[in-house]
Amino acid sequence: MEPNDRLSLHAWANPSSSCNGLPRKMSLENPSFTNFNLQQQEQKWDDTSILNYGIRIEPPFHEFNQASESEYLLSSTCNNQPKVLDQEDGLNNEALQTSKSLDWDPRTMLNNLSFLEQKIHHLQDLVHLIVGRKGQALGGHDQLVTQQQQLITADLTSIIVQLISTAGSLLPSVKHKLSTGPPNGQLGELLFPPLAGMNCVPQPQHGSGSIAVQPQCVTGSKVSDQCNQMDVTGNCGTEQNLSIEEHEMKEEEDADEGENLPPGSYDILQLEKEEILAPHTHFCTICGKGFKRDANLRMHMRGHGDEYKTPAALAKPNKESSSEPVIIKRYSCPFAGCKRNKDHKKFQPLKTILCVKNHYKRTHCDKSYICSRCNTKKFSVMADLKTHEKHCGKDKWLCSCGTTFSRKDKLFGHIALFQGHTPAIPLEETKGPSVSCDKMDGNEASNKSGKHKFQLWLQCW
Amino acid sequence: MSTQSTPILSVLTEDLLIRVNEKLVQDSDRKIWRLICKEFHRVDSITRKTLRVLHVEFLLTLLKNYTNLHTLDLSVCPCIEDGTITLLLHRVGHSMWARNLKVLNLSRANGLKFSGLEMLVGACKGLESVDVSYCCGFGDREAAAISGCGGLKELRMDKCLGVSDVGLAKIVVGCGRLEMLSLKWCMEISYLGVELLCKKCLELKFLDVSYLKVTSDWLRSIAALSKLEDLAMVGCPLVNDVGLQFLENGCPLLQKIDVSRCDCVSSSGLTALIRGHNGLLQIDAGYAIAEFSGNFVECMQELKNLNAIIIDGARVSDTIFQTISSNCKSLIEIGLSKCTGVTNMGIMQLVSGCVNLKTINLTCCRSITDAAISAIADSCRNLLRLKLESCNMVTEKSLGHLGLHCALLEELDLTDCFGVNDRGLERLSRCSRLLCLKLGLCTNISDTGLFYIASNCSQLHELDLYRCMGIGDDGLAALSSGCKKLRKLNLSYCFEVTDKGMKSLGYLEELSDLELRALDKITGAGLAALVTRCKRLAYLDLKYCTRVDDTGFWALAYYSRNLRQINLSYCSITDMALCMLMGNLTRLQDADLVQLTNVTVQGFDLALRACCVRIKKVKLVAALGSLISSEVLGILHARGCRIRWD
């Protein structure tokens, strides 16, 4: 969904921008699709002016990724069907997995170099054009000229960074210095050096630029930090996000229990077991980076430009109300005989990929995560364990009828509902009654308290 | 004696004696009755319904004698603990006393824990009212014990800091017939507990949730209580107009509402509440509402039955007085303390309509003059209580009018009215029913004025002469011969008072509260003369009485066995006397022992050791904190004693 939005945003934003005439002409002159896309990217730079500096360095790599999968780009630009995208996601995934085995891919390198060549050509064209324009330029175009200068500087920077990164991918030592964690695969490896470079290289160059550049540079580096973090901790994810996401996922799965879509009113997709168990499910359509959570992907997308920072882009995509009728997608579990499998008589489809993943893990996988506190509860989804651990061993809210509750309000709701039920006071607090009587028999006192304790115990169970 | 009493007894049957005994109201009269003969004593034992025990050592015999008790008050009896209860239940005539008990006051019984409470509740099957206020150890477990009283109708749990929603839930489920519940200062109580309360205790008529985090949600739940008549929520900072609007359509029988010191309440919220309840009898909105809107004043017109309205601290105008005057004809009480905009005109308008007013509070209404007081005196012939603190324009004229027209006046506060003089007191002394008179900071009065009061106001039982520098021994002599019923007397900073005055005070046998702060002319001999006769003394303030020596304190330790609270700060008491005091005074619960220069650390240690099982509050210099043995501090702490470090 998102790439489409982004691209359409471009198309829409371009005509209204102030100095679009020139690059547009250029894009028309360019025949190849990849170039066309590239051009669009450039237009974006132009439009969003200086403020984009920090991020501008990234696009080359996105485009590198996209260039290798031009088919993907094609389909997503002209075709609005999300289904294709999803399949593409899978494809991407597979590509990632196959490339894992190789340490260095000469084909990628070649792609990279040819891209660089293209880029330089393009820059050349641009400079030509500026030269031609300067001849007829009048005095009032100072701003335009500085903008163009900056544009070229940025392009050059990106080329330099790209070169460094391409070179970096050849040197294992550099690579390891830059990425502290275990690299996730070819894609991640290639991504790392430039990202790290971005933090240090462009800044001195922009030092001569306006002050307005600074904040953007900062956010740019932030994004890269985030990305770094994502990749390093890629396999387990940050804990906070995990739990939040988990709740959402559960709700989603629960919600679709009651859903009653007539069969045939939706497309059924069935992911294979391997796909379900793959660590990443969300992939950036620009740079191809994989994420476990869409929310994190959306956060990442902010680094790709201002258009991803709008509330609409940041909102959950499924909450967007589109006027066009969208074909409803539902998922089937690959496990034969499962109620969630499309061949089952009473097939109940799963709503999202996340539901599929959680369902498959919970139902058809070993429960390999064991709670370290109680050592009895087992889970197959890490987040389930985390949720459990949060409450495990904590004060249970206990009713006199023996029912336990994890939350006080639930217990009180229960008590309000049933006649005669009262909250039980946990035993641990029981202290021997502080009887300090001089005249009373010691025996009597101890009997009393013993009996009392027993009654209390009875009350609790 | 027995030969004389026999014929009387042969004439008076037991039945008749009981009837006569029932007519005795005053405690002192009953005491005399008991002392006449054994038969009279027996009759008193049978008929006695209420018992307030002051000494734990007599509890056993008292409960043996009085088997028909309805009310037992142990709030001023120290050392009540689980062991005591076991003893009382198992040793005293098969706990006969507990059978008919309906009302039990255990306020401040810090030593009582859940096992004792459970035994008590188990024995007293018919309990209807329990007061466990200010029991610092009272928590959920204790609440669970109380919940065994199925027939409980009234429960006070003020400042039971340990009670949480769980304890409340126990009580709510166990005592479903609760009609009155006070949760004041039970800070742990949250919405969940109150929500449950409002679902389970539908008989509730009175609810006090003062100083809690009452929100609109609470009020939505409370609005469902169909029998609620009285709702108090003093000092609830989260209560707002939205919450009060919930009450507009709920609690159909609501008669009294107290929202004083609720900062977020405005007159629009109160207007909504009034709109829903035209039968309101009492509104307390002191320090809650800054100004009254036109709507509110309009709404007031509907409150035909209003008895009392308290709007302390508000800005008022004459129009509101006009509205009240012409509509709330049955108004009995009005509180205008620290209101701005109270004028003579306004008060005149008010009293022209509300002639039934019995209580008027005009504290700090400084623009009030004799004209307004005269109007009050002329119109409100039934006036009982009038507070005029800091009304500086009030002069002898006002007092003259009050003396002439308000024969029923019982309570008058003239603190800080420097217009009051001897002549004024002479005129005021016509109010022969005066019970309480406050003349603090009235520097223009002397012994002469006091003489008039003493000779005419024989009922007086409270007199405040704080910083009345003109008062001396002669005034006190007059007082001691005229006001025999005096119970509370404040003589602080009346520097002229000497031992002679103390001696005359000794004739006031009922005296229980006496403040003698900074009387540097009295000595040990004076104090001794006082305490040998005033056996009822319960509160004594001797702060800065630097010339009182050990002879006085010895006497105090020997005679004042009923002393409950004492302030000895800055006195010249020594180790020995302090130890004697603290050891001998078995009822003592609160002692201020700051800056005692003649007392050593060992002295403090011994003194505290002597009283540590019964004392509940003690004030010490902070420096002592590290010097006193931790053992003593440990016992004090375990007994629930609060130490205030100065």
Side-chain angles (χ1 to χ4, degrees):
Chain A
M1 283 270 209
E2 279 198 358
N4 295 334
D5 287 350
R6 187 182 65 78
L7 286 167
S8 59
L9 249 170
H10 273 269
W12 183 79
N14 280 333
S16 66
S17 56
S18 55
C19 53
N20 57 350
L22 173 73
R24 204 190 176 87
K25 228 185 267 167
M26 274 182 50
S27 72
L28 286 172
E29 284 163 13
N30 264 311
S32 92
F33 266 115
T34 40
N35 262 343
F36 168 69
N37 202 47
L38 211 142
Q39 208 45 55
Q40 271 202 331
Q41 208 68 41
E42 297 246 327
Q43 274 175 308
K44 182 193 103 199
W45 301 343
D46 232 352
D47 297 344
T48 47
S49 78
I50 333 160
L51 283 175
N52 256 333
Y53 265 41
I55 300 151
R56 223 183 274 176
I57 303 109
E58 278 182 291
F61 318 109
H62 320 149
E63 267 140 63
F64 144 63
N65 282 324
Q66 287 161 359
S68 64
E69 293 168 352
S70 51
E71 186 198 319
Y72 163 74
L73 268 174
L74 222 166
S75 61
S76 54
T77 14
C78 18
N79 197 338
N80 250 354
Q81 287 214 352
K83 189 172 148 189
V84 185
L85 196 141
D86 274 310
Q87 281 174 343
E88 203 48 54
D89 246 10
L91 234 160
N92 211 336
N93 211 338
E94 273 177 294
L96 189 139
Q97 279 181 332
T98 48
S99 64
K100 248 181 194 171
S101 53
L102 288 167
D103 227 344
W104 175 70
D105 189 358
R107 240 182 5 180
T108 324
M109 176 64 90
L110 198 68
N111 266 339
N112 230 339
L113 288 174
S114 63
F115 166 70
L116 272 172
E117 198 184 12
Q118 266 182 350
K119 181 109 187 163
I120 290 165
H121 274 303
H122 164 64
L123 203 63
Q124 240 175 347
D125 285 352
L126 194 69
V127 177
H128 268 303
L129 227 114
I130 291 164
V131 170
R133 241 186 116 96
K134 241 178 193 163
Q136 37 174 283
L138 295 167
H141 282 83
D142 275 3
Q143 213 184 343
L144 191 74
V145 171
T146 47
Q147 251 178 18
Q148 282 167 341
Q149 268 176 359
Q150 278 162 346
L151 189 70
I152 292 161
T153 330
D155 269 12
L156 280 170
T157 313
S158 75
I159 290 165
I160 291 162
V161 171
Q162 174 83 56
L163 259 173
I164 292 168
S165 82
T166 317
S169 69
L170 284 171
L171 299 169
S173 57
V174 175
K175 168 176 75 193
H176 285 298
K177 220 180 274 174
L178 287 166
S179 59
T180 46
N184 264 356
Q186 187 82 11
L187 234 138
E189 282 168 44
L190 282 170
L191 268 170
F192 261 119
L195 279 173
M198 186 189 100
N199 278 337
C200 44
V201 180
Q203 266 165 9
Q205 289 201 352
H206 293 313
S208 57
S210 66
I211 306 159
V213 177
Q214 274 323 92
Q216 199 54 45
C217 280
V218 172
T219 48
S221 64
K222 249 189 211 162
V223 169
S224 77
D225 278 356
Q226 218 173 24
C227 295
N228 269 332
Q229 212 181 22
M230 296 296 175
D231 259 62
V232 172
T233 58
N235 277 327
C236 46
T238 46
E239 263 195 39
Q240 304 156 327
N241 286 338
L242 197 96
S243 56
I244 296 162
E245 200 64 25
E246 180 53 29
H247 278 294
E248 283 170 14
M249 287 191 286
K250 272 181 192 165
E251 275 161 29
E252 276 167 353
E253 201 179 0
D254 287 349
D256 108 311
E257 296 273 356
E259 195 186 45
N260 240 336
L261 288 173
S265 69
Y266 51 84
D267 281 2
I268 300 170
L269 295 175
Q270 183 170 302
L271 280 81
E272 286 317 306
K273 187 186 156 204
E274 289 72 24
E275 282 177 288
I276 289 170
L277 298 177
H280 295 160
T281 45
H282 303 277
F283 294 93
C284 174
T285 47
I286 297 170
C287 66
K289 201 164 147 49
F291 292 91
K292 291 180 75 180
R293 285 167 209 91
D294 184 53
N296 291 346
L297 171 63
R298 272 178 275 139
M299 198 61 85
H300 161 87
M301 291 304 277
R302 288 161 33 128
H304 285 313
D306 270 344
E307 64 269 42
Y308 300 107
K309 288 177 187 165
T310 59
L314 285 172
K316 286 183 95 182
N318 53 2
K319 278 181 186 165
E320 273 172 40
S321 54
S322 55
S323 50
E324 306 167 42
V326 185
I327 294 172
I328 304 165
K329 280 180 298 158
R330 287 296 176 265
Y331 296 87
S332 155
C333 169
F335 195 89
C338 173
K339 203 179 181 182
R340 303 293 198 171
N341 182 273
K342 60 189 172 192
D343 299 328
H344 193 276
K345 261 190 275 175
K346 291 175 183 173
F347 170 57
Q348 280 191 326
L350 292 152
K351 223 173 183 176
T352 64
I353 301 179
L354 282 172
C355 296
V356 177
K357 285 186 70 128
N358 281 331
H359 160 78
Y360 192 83
K361 283 187 193 166
R362 285 186 186 127
T363 330
H364 309 300
C365 289
D366 286 340
K367 296 187 174 181
S368 48
Y369 302 114
I370 302 166
C371 174
S372 56
R373 293 197 200 192
C374 61
N375 270 323
T376 45
K377 283 266 183 186
K378 292 177 180 178
F379 302 91
S380 48
V381 177
M382 185 60 161
D384 289 359
L385 172 70
K386 296 261 171 175
T387 317
H388 163 79
E389 273 183 337
K390 252 189 235 162
H391 303 288
C392 181
K394 273 195 190 166
D395 281 343
K396 289 256 174 175
W397 294 97
L398 179 65
C399 177
S400 54
C401 69
T403 322
T404 57
F405 299 87
S406 59
R407 277 164 52 182
K408 189 180 171 188
D409 54 335
K410 301 287 176 199
L411 168 65
F412 274 70
H414 168 87
I415 286 163
L417 210 61
F418 295 97
Q419 205 71 39
H421 289 205
T422 63
I425 300 162
L427 267 177
E428 295 89 88
E429 282 172 37
T430 322
K431 282 176 250 157
S434 58
V435 189
S436 60
C437 45
D438 310 319
K439 298 157 205 169
M440 196 175 72
D441 293 338
N443 269 340
E444 200 178 88
S446 63
N447 277 346
K448 265 279 159 199
S449 64
K451 192 178 160 194
H452 183 86
K453 263 185 190 170
F454 178 64
Q455 279 173 346
L456 265 170
W457 187 84
L458 275 179
Q459 211 173 17
C460 289
W461 293 106
Chain B
M1 184 168 167
S2 59
T3 48
Q4 281 175 342
S5 62
T6 318
I8 304 171
L9 282 177
S10 60
V11 178
L12 296 170
T13 59
E14 191 186 52
D15 185 45
L16 276 173
L17 279 177
I18 290 173
R19 286 194 172 198
V20 175
N21 180 271
E22 276 169 356
K23 299 282 175 197
L24 300 174
V25 185
Q26 296 266 326
D27 244 16
S28 48
D29 298 342
R30 278 180 161 263
K31 192 175 179 184
I32 294 165
W33 169 280
R34 279 202 301 277
L35 294 172
I36 292 173
C37 67
K38 276 190 173 175
E39 183 62 18
F40 275 42
H41 190 271
R42 200 182 62 80
V43 166
D44 183 62
S45 306
I46 297 167
T47 51
R48 194 169 184 98
K49 298 272 189 257
T50 52
L51 185 64
R52 188 169 189 248
V53 188
L54 304 182
H55 293 268
V56 72
E57 48 274 35
F58 305 140
L59 192 57
L60 218 75
T61 30
L62 284 173
L63 289 181
K64 248 179 210 164
N65 284 339
Y66 299 108
T67 50
N68 247 336
L69 285 181
H70 276 198
T71 305
L72 179 61
D73 184 349
L74 299 174
S75 61
V76 286
C77 185
C79 300
I80 294 289
E81 55 188 25
D82 294 351
T84 327
I85 302 297
T86 323
L87 207 66
L88 289 176
L89 289 176
H90 295 275
R91 295 287 167 84
V92 184
H94 307 288
S95 53
M96 278 286 285
W97 59 273
R99 265 175 221 178
N100 294 321
L101 208 62
K102 287 200 164 73
V103 182
L104 182 59
N105 190 343
L106 297 170
S107 168
R108 292 179 205 277
N110 288 336
L112 215 52
K113 296 284 176 273
F114 67 94
S115 59
L117 277 171
E118 202 163 58
M119 282 187 272
L120 208 52
V121 164
C124 310
K125 297 285 183 201
L127 269 186
E128 289 181 358
S129 169
V130 174
D131 186 344
V132 287
S133 308
Y134 307 100
C135 289
C136 65
F138 195 91
D140 289 344
R141 224 157 256 295
E142 285 71 24
I146 292 289
S147 73
C149 306
L152 203 65
K153 285 183 180 161
E154 292 184 7
L155 179 59
R156 286 189 178 274
M157 297 202 293
D158 299 3
K159 215 161 190 173
C160 288
L161 295 171
V163 176
S164 75
D165 289 339
V166 172
L168 181 59
K170 284 268 182 202
I171 286 166
V172 158
V173 174
C175 317
R177 274 180 272 171
L178 268 184
E179 288 176 9
M180 184 264 167
L181 179 63
S182 175
L183 298 171
K184 201 169 171 175
W185 280 306
C186 292
M187 304 309 275
E188 294 294 310
I189 300 290
S190 79
Y191 169 63
L192 285 176
V194 170
E195 192 193 20
L196 191 69
L197 171 76
C198 298
K199 278 180 189 162
K200 297 268 181 182
C201 295
L202 299 171
E203 300 290 312
L204 219 55
K205 285 181 184 161
F206 172 88
L207 180 62
D208 191 339
V209 287
S210 299
Y211 305 101
L212 304 187
K213 288 166 233 131
V214 179
T215 60
S216 302
D217 288 336
W218 289 46
L219 292 179
R220 195 194 299 130
S221 295
I222 289 170
L225 291 170
S226 57
K227 294 193 177 168
L228 197 72
E229 290 172 5
D230 189 345
L231 177 61
M233 36 185 188
V234 181
C236 298
L238 303 177
V239 169
N240 58 19
D241 295 343
V242 180
L244 290 183
Q245 275 158 15
F246 285 121
L247 289 182
E248 182 184 349
N249 301 317
C251 304
L253 300 179
L254 198 68
Q255 290 177 350
K256 297 178 184 175
I257 180 86
D258 189 344
V259 289
S260 48
R261 295 175 202 277
C262 295
D263 297 333
C264 291
V265 167
S266 81
S267 74
S268 71
L270 210 55
T271 308
L273 179 76
I274 292 171
R275 216 183 289 126
H277 301 91
N278 286 337
L280 270 182
L281 296 182
Q282 211 168 307
I283 299 173
D284 191 339
Y287 305 105
I289 292 166
E291 206 147 353
F292 295 97
S293 62
N295 275 343
F296 180 84
V297 177
E298 216 169 274
C299 255
M300 287 283 294
Q301 295 175 359
E302 303 299 318
L303 297 173
K304 304 287 183 200
N305 298 323
L306 197 68
N307 275 340
I309 181 162
I310 294 163
I311 47 173
D312 297 350
R315 173 183 295 278
V316 293
S317 61
D318 292 351
T319 53
I320 192 161
F321 291 127
Q322 208 160 15
T323 315
I324 292 174
S325 168
S326 48
N327 294 289
C328 313
K329 295 287 183 191
S330 51
L331 201 68
I332 289 172
E333 180 179 355
I334 187 160
L336 299 166
S337 168
K338 300 200 177 178
C339 283
T340 47
V342 178
T343 59
N344 282 342
M345 201 57 209
I347 294 298
M348 285 172 187
Q349 268 171 349
L350 176 75
V351 295
S352 69
C354 305
V355 292
N356 294 317
L357 274 172
K358 285 184 179 167
T359 304
I360 301 175
N361 187 351
L362 292 169
T363 301
C364 296
C365 294
R366 294 197 174 86
S367 50
I368 291 299
T369 68
D370 290 335
I373 308 298
S374 319
I376 289 173
D378 283 336
S379 312
C380 312
R381 298 296 169 102
N382 294 324
L383 197 67
L384 292 179
R385 281 170 289 272
L386 181 62
K387 293 196 176 191
L388 297 170
E389 184 183 338
S390 285
C391 293
N392 293 322
M393 320 268 259
V394 170
T395 69
E396 56 190 73
K397 274 188 199 165
S398 297
L399 300 185
H401 276 280
L402 287 172
L404 268 181
H405 303 299
C406 302
L408 300 176
L409 198 66
E410 287 180 353
E411 201 180 318
L412 181 62
D413 188 346
L414 293 168
T415 305
D416 206 10
C417 296
F418 53 71
V420 174
N421 54 17
D422 289 342
R423 231 181 121 74
L425 289 185
E426 183 190 356
R427 293 181 175 189
L428 179 69
S429 65
R430 281 164 167 256
C431 301
S432 57
R433 293 199 182 191
L434 265 183
L435 297 177
C436 170
L437 181 60
K438 293 190 176 174
L439 297 167
L441 297 161
C442 292
T443 40
N444 294 327
I445 60 166
S446 69
D447 289 340
T448 326
L450 196 57
F451 175 77
Y452 290 118
I453 295 292
S455 46
N456 289 315
C457 309
S458 57
Q459 302 293 312
L460 207 65
H461 61 60
E462 182 177 351
L463 180 62
D464 184 355
L465 296 170
Y466 175 83
R467 283 190 199 269
C468 292
M469 317 279 199
I471 299 296
D473 293 336
D474 295 340
L476 294 187
L479 204 63
S480 63
S481 59
C483 306
K484 286 288 185 189
K485 296 194 170 170
L486 207 63
R487 283 184 225 154
K488 288 175 94 171
L489 179 61
N490 190 341
L491 290 172
S492 298
Y493 304 99
C494 297
F495 296 113
E496 298 304 311
V497 175
T498 68
D499 282 352
K500 202 179 150 202
M502 287 298 109
K503 202 177 173 191
S504 15
L505 283 186
Y507 292 96
L508 296 170
E509 289 185 0
E510 303 258 327
L511 205 61
S512 70
D513 293 33
L514 183 58
E515 290 186 47
L516 302 171
R517 199 172 277 202
L519 299 190
D520 49 11
K521 285 186 179 158
I522 61 168
T523 65
L527 184 63
L530 173 82
V531 295
T532 44
R533 292 175 145 267
C534 295
K535 295 283 175 59
R536 288 178 169 250
L537 220 51
Y539 170 60
L540 183 60
D541 190 339
L542 292 171
K543 192 172 178 180
Y544 299 116
C545 289
T546 44
R547 287 189 60 204
V548 175
D549 56 10
D550 275 2
T551 53
F553 294 117
W554 283 98
L556 190 66
Y558 190 77
Y559 292 105
S560 296
R561 295 301 180 88
N562 285 320
L563 208 62
R564 202 165 54 187
Q565 191 178 344
I566 194 165
N567 190 341
L568 292 174
S569 300
Y570 299 92
C571 282
S572 51
I573 192 168
T574 63
D575 282 358
M576 275 299 280
L578 185 66
C579 292
M580 271 289 282
L581 262 181
M582 303 304 272
N584 252 18
L585 300 178
T586 51
R587 259 194 78 199
L588 198 67
Q589 300 190 358
D590 187 337
D592 276 24
L593 307 173
V594 172
Q595 301 290 351
L596 306 181
T597 41
N598 293 339
V599 179
T600 61
V601 175
Q602 283 79 19
F604 274 114
D605 207 288
L606 264 175
L608 288 175
R609 213 176 272 273
C611 66
C612 60
V613 292
R614 57 177 175 269
I615 199 129
K616 287 177 180 172
K617 236 181 192 180
V618 65
K619 189 173 179 183
L620 299 168
V621 199
L624 277 174
S626 51
L627 300 172
I628 293 175
S629 76
S630 55
E631 187 198 345
V632 175
L633 293 180
I635 299 172
L636 285 173
H637 184 75
R639 288 282 167 159
C641 173
R642 228 183 87 210
I643 305 176
R644 288 165 296 161
W645 298 106
D646 189 37

